[in-house]
Amino acid sequence: MKYILVTGGVISGIGKGIIASSVGTILKSCGLHVTAIKIDPYINIDAGTFSPYEHGEVFVLDDGGEVDLDLGNYERFLDIRLTKDNNLTTGKIYQSVINKERRGDYLGKTVQVVPHITDAIQEWVMRQAKIPVDDDEVEPQVCVIELGGTVGDIESMPFIEAFRQFQFKVKKENFCNIHVSLVPQPSATGEQKTKPTQNSVRELRGLGLSPDLIVCRCSTPLDNAVKEKISMFCHVPPEQVICVHDVSSIYRVPLLLEDQGVVNYFCDRLDLPIELRPRRMLTKWKEMSDRSDRLLESCSIALVGKYTKFSDSYASVIKALEHSALAINHKLEIKYVDSADLESASLQEEPVRYHEAWQKLCSADGVLVPGGFGVRGTEGKIQAITWARKQKKPFLGVCLGMQLAVCEFARSILGWADANSTEFNPETKHPVVIDMPEHNPGQMGGTMRLGKRRTNFKTTNSTLRKLYGDAEFVEERHRHRFEVRILFVRFFPFYSHHPYFVGVQYHPEFTSRPIKPSPPYFGLLLASAGKLQSYLQKGCRLSPR
């Protein structure tokens, strides 16, 4: 097993997840089986109880694991299926060590950070690295490990120390460290500054890890003089200083790494069993990236949610929209609409925001209401759904978006004025959405319906079934505490007077891939671009590009 550790310096959010995903992608394109592990140094057991404004969206895996959004990047880039143990947190490690201590596994010893916590980290990584993640169930050959946060953070120290020991345990030829750092370019001088990277690498080396590759994040390509300066002060040859400058699409990053000889370096450094030949998988990535840069027609989607100030809150939703837009050769324009701004109360308090929100909604080609929790902004979402239904605008409701579409339909079409979810109005006479057996009001973490579940199609002629290739059932990932009450389903007629009005309880965005977009999102983009009917008439085939 070969291990590649990705660390970060200077600032958090520098792009370690994309670098780790891209390294995995170019190695997988060489025919290797690659897995990935994300380490988050926070004390939470998992990401399930985070606000989206803390770390962005909570990504859900097949086994119900609520994990960091970087695991979504790994799955999308590498087209693999991970498990909850691929996301390691300080909370999980301490919980496992404390459980062992309570059972008496340490035989009366004093339990300490070194060696007990650091040993537990190494054992976890070695155990999880062997779990198959591809459909062929073959054990991985390479494990890419991303250490979250920034080198020097106090909470990541046990992990740094664990990997300092780990490099000797698995031997030098099986372990490699990539350090991702920032090379700022102040506008006052326009000069690329290396001092933050020098300091970051010095701190990492002081903790016992010496980087093999230094990946420099910068706004423009690195000058040769800057590269040589980093090489001289950071104890690596110039060819091991890699430039990852800002590009038009994140799907260009694997190509950037490939062009700078990263595969050749890994071949020599880790003695990887690969042939240096043209790789078909990367050719697809290049074609996809080139096509995204050449798009002329555009399609706009109004994303009506409550976390719109931070786009990472809807990371997978945005990726699913991008995959679908690229598949139909359209540029994607997302119009973020804060659902609270659509409500009548906003007209009184902030009329400018109210009118701007409605202008965005009304000018969009399609409407998407994604998942969420809590009552704030729900009436605004219902108003957006009403508008999309009456104006025959393509609409997709995901999770809460679907539940609110049911509430809107019950109010507007069935005449149940107080129809609602018991999440928002426990006293409603028409509780069309109710909580589920899994829901435990006394404990928030891990008490939802989570992970992959089967959904059966009851009809044979629905648009969504056709988009799924006329399958009898689909298996998608869920994350919700409430569901539509079965008792009321019989009151809802099949609604066929609309180009695309679809609601799904599951989260199809979690399984969308760049070359294989999610069917519900793909249908939304097709309908918004006016291509859905011709697509269905052609037997669900797109016209040649």
Side-chain angles (χ1 to χ4, degrees):
M1 175 64 72
K2 309 293 183 181
Y3 300 92
I4 299 172
L5 175 67
V6 180
T7 55
V10 186
I11 59 170
S12 60
I14 198 170
K16 297 185 298 296
I18 300 298
I19 300 298
S21 303
S22 300
V23 166
T25 299
I26 58 176
L27 292 177
K28 186 167 182 177
S29 75
C30 298
L32 297 172
H33 286 81
V34 183
T35 186
I37 294 173
K38 171 69 190 294
I39 296 175
D40 286 303
Y42 45 66
I43 296 174
N44 302 62
I45 298 295
D46 59 30
T49 55
F50 281 144
S51 158
Y53 285 134
E54 284 284 318
H55 291 268
E57 75 167 6
V58 177
F59 191 80
V60 178
L61 302 170
D62 277 353
D63 65 355
E66 296 175 285
V67 296
D68 185 85
L69 60 82
D70 274 320
L71 274 82
N73 282 324
Y74 305 157
E75 286 205 342
R76 283 187 286 270
F77 272 71
L78 298 168
D79 195 16
I80 54 178
R81 300 280 175 133
L82 300 172
T83 67
K84 59 187 173 188
D85 286 342
N86 287 84
N87 192 194
L88 178 55
T89 69
T90 297
K92 283 182 181 177
I93 285 293
Y94 273 80
Q95 188 180 57
S96 69
V97 169
I98 289 168
N99 287 343
K100 281 185 177 181
E101 186 275 331
R102 291 289 84 187
R103 287 196 306 265
D105 291 4
Y106 296 114
L107 300 174
K109 285 188 170 64
T110 304
V111 181
Q112 297 174 291
V113 173
V114 181
H116 300 100
I117 295 294
T118 52
D119 283 354
I121 293 166
Q122 294 172 63
E123 288 162 11
W124 191 300
V125 167
M126 293 180 79
R127 182 177 67 249
Q128 196 59 32
K130 294 177 182 176
I131 306 296
V133 292
D134 287 303
D135 292 336
D136 58 12
E137 294 293 315
V138 174
E139 185 177 307
Q141 298 160 283
V142 180
C143 179
V144 181
I145 307 155
E146 179 193 345
L147 177 57
T150 309
V151 168
D153 292 346
I154 193 166
E155 63 261 32
S156 64
M157 288 302 180
F159 295 100
I160 296 281
E161 171 58 22
F163 285 109
R164 184 194 69 77
Q165 299 170 20
F166 190 70
Q167 64 187 331
F168 302 113
K169 181 182 283 189
V170 299
K171 304 290 186 273
K172 181 182 172 70
E173 64 272 15
N174 296 320
F175 181 86
C176 176
N177 177 211
I178 300 173
H179 188 62
V180 185
S181 186
L182 179 69
V183 177
Q185 193 169 357
S187 56
T189 61
E191 184 184 0
Q192 293 174 326
K193 297 293 185 181
T194 65
K195 192 63 72 179
T197 298
Q198 292 178 43
N199 291 339
S200 177
V201 171
R202 187 184 304 118
E203 183 155 19
L204 183 63
R205 295 184 69 207
L207 295 169
L209 283 173
S210 190
D212 297 284
L213 290 176
I214 298 174
V215 173
C216 299
R217 284 286 293 111
C218 40
S219 53
T220 56
L222 276 186
D223 298 333
N224 280 336
V226 174
K227 192 178 273 198
E228 286 174 9
K229 189 175 181 182
I230 291 171
S231 162
M232 180 170 63
F233 285 104
C234 296
H235 201 65
V236 294
E239 60 270 16
Q240 287 166 229
V241 178
I242 307 297
C243 165
V244 176
H245 55 84
D246 294 348
V247 286
S248 57
S249 162
I250 59 170
Y251 302 120
R252 285 206 174 276
V253 177
L255 304 172
L256 264 183
L257 299 181
E258 158 83 24
D259 289 344
Q260 294 176 73
V262 169
V263 171
N264 296 6
Y265 174 75
F266 283 137
C267 271
D268 296 337
R269 174 70 177 74
L270 297 174
D271 191 25
L272 293 172
I274 57 179
E275 299 174 20
L276 294 178
R277 53 181 169 70
R279 288 174 279 283
R280 188 162 163 255
M281 184 174 161
L282 277 189
T283 306
K284 280 186 179 178
W285 280 74
K286 186 174 189 318
E287 186 269 334
M288 185 173 64
S289 301
D290 289 344
R291 194 154 47 85
S292 71
D293 290 344
R294 292 196 304 264
L295 298 176
L296 299 174
E297 293 182 276
S298 66
C299 184
S300 60
I301 301 293
L303 195 158
V304 183
K306 61 187 282 191
Y307 311 115
T308 52
K309 293 182 180 67
F310 185 41
S311 62
D312 268 0
S313 302
Y314 299 111
S316 291
V317 169
I318 293 165
K319 296 301 177 199
L321 289 170
E322 288 175 354
H323 301 161
S324 299
L326 185 57
I328 64 168
N329 290 319
H330 277 60
K331 279 183 186 172
L332 175 67
E333 181 190 355
I334 298 178
K335 300 180 180 225
Y336 294 99
V337 180
D338 189 324
S339 55
D341 292 341
L342 297 172
E343 296 174 1
S344 52
S346 178
L347 177 59
Q348 307 301 320
E349 296 162 12
E350 296 186 83
V352 174
R353 291 186 63 170
Y354 174 85
H355 290 295
E356 284 177 350
W358 275 102
Q359 193 276 330
K360 283 183 192 174
L361 179 67
C362 295
S363 60
D365 297 316
V367 178
L368 169 65
V369 179
F373 296 94
V375 69
R376 184 178 72 81
T378 52
E379 291 302 319
K381 291 176 183 177
I382 287 175
Q383 288 181 36
I385 294 165
T386 303
W387 182 84
R389 182 178 56 76
K390 288 181 176 178
Q391 299 298 318
K392 293 189 167 28
K393 282 282 182 182
F395 165 79
L396 175 62
V398 174
C399 196
L400 177 63
M402 184 274 273
Q403 295 173 4
L404 294 178
V406 169
C407 294
E408 192 279 330
F409 198 90
R411 292 179 188 182
S412 304
I413 306 298
L414 302 181
W416 301 342
D418 72 331
N420 214 328
S421 166
T422 55
E423 181 181 6
F424 313 128
N425 180 10
E427 307 303 321
T428 176
K429 291 178 182 175
H430 293 95
V432 291
V433 178
I434 57 172
D435 60 350
M436 302 180 305
E438 291 100 321
H439 182 202
N440 177 358
Q443 187 162 326
M444 296 293 287
T447 59
M448 290 185 271
R449 181 168 291 167
L450 291 164
K452 186 167 75 172
R453 302 292 177 104
R454 178 172 290 192
T455 303
N456 296 307
F457 286 108
K458 296 290 188 184
T459 59
T460 57
N461 60 342
S462 74
T463 298
L464 192 58
R465 179 167 179 165
K466 290 173 186 172
L467 289 167
Y468 273 106
D470 204 29
E472 292 183 6
F473 62 85
V474 295
E475 291 185 323
E476 297 274 14
R477 299 174 184 178
H478 289 246
R479 183 177 186 251
H480 56 106
R481 288 194 177 91
F482 293 79
E483 65 181 353
V484 175
R485 192 175 183 186
I486 298 298
L487 182 67
F488 287 112
V489 170
R490 60 194 171 91
F491 292 105
F492 290 82
F494 181 66
Y495 190 60
S496 58
H497 311 297
H498 199 284
Y500 192 79
F501 193 86
V502 172
V504 290
Q505 181 60 75
Y506 50 80
H507 288 266
E509 64 269 19
F510 292 145
T511 52
S512 184
R513 300 287 183 264
I515 302 172
K516 189 183 177 187
S518 162
Y521 285 90
F522 187 49
L524 175 66
L525 266 293
L526 280 169
S528 301
K531 295 184 174 183
L532 179 60
Q533 289 310 313
S534 64
Y535 175 78
L536 295 174
Q537 286 163 8
K538 289 175 183 174
C540 293
R541 283 197 302 273
L542 286 169
S543 301
R545 296 188 182 103

